[in-house]
Amino acid sequence: MSKLTDFFIERGFKALSRLPFGVLYALSDMCFPLVYYIGRYRRGVVRTNLENSFPEKTAAERKSIERDFYRRFCDYAVETVKLISIDEADIRRRMEFVGLDEVEAQLGSHPFVFLYLGHVFNWEWVSTIPMWTKREATHGAQLYRPLNNAAFDRLFEHLRTRFGAENISKYDALRRIMRLKAEGVPTIIGFISDQAPRVQNIHDWTTFLNQDTPVFTGTERIGKKVDAAIYYVDMERVKRGYYRATFRLMSDDVRSVPDYELTNRYMQLLEQTIRRQPAGWLWSHRRWKHKRQPETQI
């Protein structure tokens, strides 16, 4: 895209973000039939994922989850746009963190707290954690993968950092985390670890949503290097535009936990979250595109 196109993309989304939630949700409602019925955005991927994940459900039940997912997906889009300009008072009304005091207390005995997250709507709002912390020295960050489009990359950089969080590129994660440790900066870092790893990065497989699934193990491997306490963030949609994130301790002694056990436990907890509110996960991702080769089976 040209610089002029990028300019209008950024200005357009920033202007859109200033619309009231009521108008944005009306736009979401209008986008749903366009995305679901006309554009049919990844309908085949979503349907296959639901069929394989919930064979015990009827076709009608899966179809209901499918439609609800696309409605939530459209809501996710406008809620994420709103994060570009939402004020502190509004996000405090709409987002609730349960157990954050306990998480911060871990920084008294650990240099880091790592948070396992999933692509559960609306995960983008978790980046507001620094606004809620009480310790002045607490730093907040999240790992991310830089986007190919410069305009969208700048937009997501802005909305994910405007409440004080740092974006850490996944390609520089270990180096940056080790630097924070050397500088003695107590930090809470979010890791979204539920996507499909590249074939060369697959070190572990588990059963997730009824399927043999390759998993990222970087969170626990880095956690053991830096002695991080590790929590799972259980996301819940309370009602439209309102979310609750509950922190669940996984381990405050990660070096004593056998390899891959934390990763597998994370996937179990994420599955519980998904089964509780199945329309809230990102079903359009090609999560199961890799199959375990016979020689790697255990």
Side-chain angles (χ1 to χ4, degrees):
M1 292 188 183
S2 68
K3 289 185 178 180
L4 183 61
T5 302
D6 287 353
F7 173 81
F8 281 112
I9 286 174
E10 292 183 67
R11 287 299 181 93
F13 278 108
K14 287 179 180 178
L16 189 63
S17 75
R18 295 187 178 93
L19 294 174
F21 268 101
V23 176
L24 289 172
Y25 283 131
L27 290 174
S28 174
D29 291 340
M30 288 188 286
C31 285
F32 166 69
L34 297 176
V35 174
Y36 183 65
Y37 292 108
I38 299 174
R40 300 173 65 87
Y41 174 70
R42 293 194 175 183
R43 277 269 294 272
V45 173
V46 172
R47 192 159 293 176
T48 298
N49 284 345
L50 288 170
E51 288 174 353
N52 292 336
S53 298
F54 301 124
E56 75 283 0
K57 294 186 182 295
T58 66
E61 288 172 329
R62 290 194 296 267
K63 190 67 172 292
S64 177
I65 295 171
E66 177 182 299
R67 285 194 296 266
D68 286 347
F69 158 71
Y70 280 96
R71 291 188 180 94
R72 302 279 182 90
F73 182 78
C74 292
D75 279 0
Y76 157 79
V78 299
E79 289 168 356
T80 300
V81 169
K82 186 64 178 176
L83 197 54
I84 294 171
S85 64
I86 193 171
D87 61 40
E88 181 176 324
D90 210 0
I91 198 68
R92 284 189 182 277
R93 281 195 312 112
R94 294 174 173 274
M95 190 72 203
E96 178 186 5
F97 290 101
V98 179
L100 184 55
D101 287 348
E102 177 189 328
V103 170
E104 277 202 278
Q106 293 282 1
L107 293 174
S109 54
H110 295 82
F112 297 94
V113 173
F114 285 1
L115 305 177
Y116 269 119
L117 293 94
H119 283 90
V120 178
F121 303 136
N122 191 327
W123 67 85
E124 297 289 359
W125 287 14
V126 178
S127 67
T128 66
I129 282 179
M131 183 183 72
W132 303 79
T133 55
K134 296 177 180 177
R135 292 164 47 115
E136 290 186 6
T138 299
H139 184 53
Q142 58 272 329
L143 261 63
Y144 83 109
R145 182 174 64 184
L147 302 177
N148 293 327
N149 179 271
F152 282 108
D153 192 59
R154 285 192 296 270
L155 275 174
F156 274 89
E157 170 77 18
H158 170 73
L159 66 88
R160 288 171 177 166
T161 60
R162 61 182 299 257
F163 288 101
E166 176 189 358
N167 266 354
I168 299 176
S169 168
K170 61 176 291 187
Y171 305 113
D172 191 44
L174 183 58
R175 184 182 299 109
R176 177 58 181 151
I177 290 169
M178 296 305 293
R179 188 179 306 126
L180 286 168
K181 184 179 181 182
E183 294 171 356
V185 180
T187 307
I188 300 171
I189 305 179
F191 293 75
I192 296 185
S193 304
D194 58 348
Q195 292 186 314
R198 294 181 178 180
V199 172
Q200 63 269 30
N201 294 329
I202 296 174
H203 303 289
D204 184 36
W205 293 76
T206 191
T207 300
F208 173 63
L209 288 170
N210 195 52
Q211 297 162 83
D212 199 27
T213 306
V215 291
F216 280 109
T217 59
T219 305
E220 71 164 82
R221 287 189 287 113
I222 298 174
K224 289 182 177 184
K225 284 181 181 291
V226 299
D227 188 31
I230 297 186
Y231 281 74
Y232 171 68
V233 181
D234 190 355
M235 283 292 290
E236 179 181 6
R237 181 180 185 263
V238 178
K239 61 181 180 178
R240 194 177 202 184
Y242 292 80
Y243 297 91
R244 179 184 299 119
T246 302
F247 298 95
R248 305 196 184 282
L249 177 64
M250 296 179 67
S251 178
D252 57 5
D253 184 16
V254 295
R255 289 170 175 164
S256 70
V257 180
D259 288 346
Y260 308 139
E261 186 173 306
L262 285 169
T263 300
N264 295 341
R265 177 61 178 154
Y266 156 64
M267 299 303 288
Q268 292 169 1
L269 290 169
L270 178 61
E271 180 167 337
Q272 291 173 16
T273 298
I274 294 167
R275 289 188 178 278
R276 186 180 66 234
Q277 293 188 338
W281 191 55
L282 191 62
W283 292 102
S284 55
H285 178 60
R286 293 184 174 90
R287 182 64 186 84
W288 291 278
K289 59 188 175 183
H290 302 311
K291 302 299 180 184
R292 195 190 318 218
Q293 300 302 310
E295 62 270 18
T296 66
Q297 291 186 0
I298 299 173

